Amino acid sequence: MATETTPGDDTTTAQATAEAKSFIAQAQEKVSGAVDATVTAVKEHPVAAAAIAAGAAAAVGGAAYAATQYRGDKQAPAKSKK
């Protein structure tokens, strides 16, 4: 079986590829801008950045501790001896 193609198929594929590249380029620009803004903010306010990082670490640590405590409260049922 031969696959038939129409002249519009090549155009549609090219447009889809261009749109995908455009989307990726836009995403890269936005990520780059966010990184630049973050670096600038850290340089201007290093104490605030350190406080935010410490708070985030404490939150993650607290969540991990709570998860281990929650799982530790559950005990396996005792096996019966027959």
Side-chain angles (χ1 to χ4, degrees):
M1 277 187 171
T3 305
E4 294 182 27
T5 59
T6 59
D9 289 344
D10 292 336
T11 305
T12 304
T13 303
Q15 287 175 344
T17 303
E19 288 176 6
K21 286 181 182 179
S22 176
F23 177 74
I24 292 172
Q26 288 176 353
Q28 286 175 335
E29 288 174 11
K30 289 185 182 201
V31 168
S32 178
V35 169
D36 291 342
T38 302
V39 169
T40 302
V42 169
K43 286 180 181 179
E44 291 177 1
H45 307 286
V47 175
I52 292 169
V60 170
Y65 177 76
T68 59
Q69 293 301 308
Y70 177 72
R71 288 192 302 169
D73 289 343
K74 294 182 179 178
Q75 295 180 1
K79 294 182 180 179
S80 62
K81 295 181 182 180
K82 291 186 177 183

